Amino acid sequence: FLFTTTPPAMSRKLNLVRLDPPKQLDFGSGDQQVQSVTITNVTDGYIAFKVKTTAPSSYIVRPSTGVVNAKGSVSVQIQTTSKGADTNDRFLVQTLPHTSAELVTKERWATVTKEETQELRLSVCVDGIGGESRSSKVSVPEKSLPSDPKELKRLYDESVSQALAMEQTKKTLHQKHTEMKASLEGGRGDGGAFSTLHLAAAFLAGAVLMQVLPFLGIEVPLLV
C-alpha cells in the first residue's frame, strides 16, 4: 500500500469521482478511530477504485478496492490501529474507468499507467491539528500599532535613536579593534628588533673576550 507522493500532471482534470470529505480525514487521538470516505461516480460508466496509504500498518481500510456503478456511491471505512493516526500520513484514491462491476485484478492494477488513472489525495488531521488546517494552526501574532500620531512619532524617533546608537557602537568597536591590531603588530616588531640587538651585543662581547683572554694567560681552544 505504499505510494510515492508525486503530484498529478496539472493538465489533467480529476473528473471521474467525487470524494466526501474531499481533502482530509479528521481522526481523534488513540486507536480504534473510524472515518469514512464516500466515493461518488460522476460518470455514466463503471469506475474502479483503489485506496492506498503511506502508513499501511496504522490503518485498516475496508474495502480497499472496488467498483462504483454509474452515478453511484461507495463508502470506504478507515479505522486506526494501535499505532494511531499521524498528521504526516496520507491517503491516495486511484480511479480507473472500467467495463463491468467485476473487481479489477491485482495484476491489472500493477500494470496501469498514469495516463489511465486519475488520483485524489487525502491528508490526515488529528484532534484538529494537521491536514488542510495545518497552515492555519501556525500563526504569528501581529503587534498592533498605536493610532495616535504623536505616539507613532515618538516610537519612530525612538527607533531612529536606537539605530543611530547601534551604528555609533559599531564604529567604536571597529576603531578599538583596529587600534588593538596595530598595537599587537607593533609589539611583534619591537620584539624582533630587541632580539637582534641582543645577538649583536653578544657577538661583540665574544669578540672582545677572544682578544683579551690570551693576554691573561688563558688559552683559547680552537674549534676544528
Side-chain angles (χ1 to χ4, degrees):
F1 286 93
L2 294 175
F3 68 92
T4 57
T5 55
T6 304
M10 295 183 65
S11 60
R12 299 181 63 196
K13 185 178 179 181
L14 304 180
N15 57 0
L16 297 180
V17 301
R18 181 176 64 251
L19 299 185
D20 184 24
K23 296 291 185 181
Q24 73 178 31
L25 298 172
D26 297 300
F27 290 96
S29 57
D31 58 355
Q32 305 298 316
Q33 300 292 319
V34 180
Q35 285 292 318
S36 63
V37 180
T38 301
I39 303 175
T40 300
N41 182 354
V42 298
T43 73
D44 294 325
Y46 293 101
I47 298 296
F49 70 87
K50 186 173 186 178
V51 182
K52 299 180 179 181
T53 178
T54 57
S57 62
S58 298
Y59 302 93
I60 299 173
V61 181
R62 295 194 180 109
S64 60
T65 61
V67 176
V68 188
N69 295 332
K71 305 299 182 180
S73 297
V74 170
S75 179
V76 176
Q77 302 294 314
I78 301 176
Q79 177 179 323
T80 61
T81 65
S82 58
K83 292 187 176 182
D86 189 278
T87 56
N88 293 318
D89 298 340
R90 296 291 183 272
F91 285 87
L92 175 72
V93 180
Q94 286 183 302
T95 59
L96 175 70
H98 198 34
T99 56
S100 69
E102 294 183 2
L103 294 178
V104 176
T105 63
K106 291 182 179 180
E107 291 75 18
R108 172 60 179 138
W109 278 116
T111 59
V112 295
T113 63
K114 288 283 187 181
E115 290 70 25
E116 295 178 275
T117 62
Q118 290 187 330
E119 301 176 344
L120 298 97
R121 288 169 171 77
L122 293 168
S123 57
V124 172
C125 180
V126 180
D127 289 337
I129 300 175
E132 292 296 312
S133 61
R134 179 177 301 177
S135 59
S136 63
K137 294 295 179 180
V138 180
S139 61
V140 178
E142 297 183 358
K143 184 178 179 180
S144 59
L145 294 176
S147 58
D148 185 4
K150 293 183 179 180
E151 182 65 15
L152 281 174
K153 185 178 184 305
R154 186 190 68 79
L155 291 175
Y156 172 78
D157 293 340
E158 184 179 311
S159 299
V160 171
S161 298
Q162 292 177 354
L164 291 175
M166 291 178 64
E167 184 64 24
Q168 184 60 40
T169 302
K170 177 183 176 183
K171 291 181 179 179
T172 302
L173 291 174
H174 179 72
Q175 182 179 356
K176 292 292 185 183
H177 176 265
T178 303
E179 292 175 355
M180 291 179 63
K181 183 178 180 181
S183 177
L184 290 173
E185 290 178 350
R188 287 196 296 270
D190 293 343
F194 183 77
S195 298
T196 303
L197 180 61
H198 276 70
L199 287 174
F203 178 80
L204 181 60
V208 172
L209 286 174
M210 291 289 292
Q211 297 296 325
V212 172
L213 289 177
F215 290 100
L216 297 177
I218 302 173
E219 182 180 357
V220 179
L222 297 177
L223 297 177
V224 179

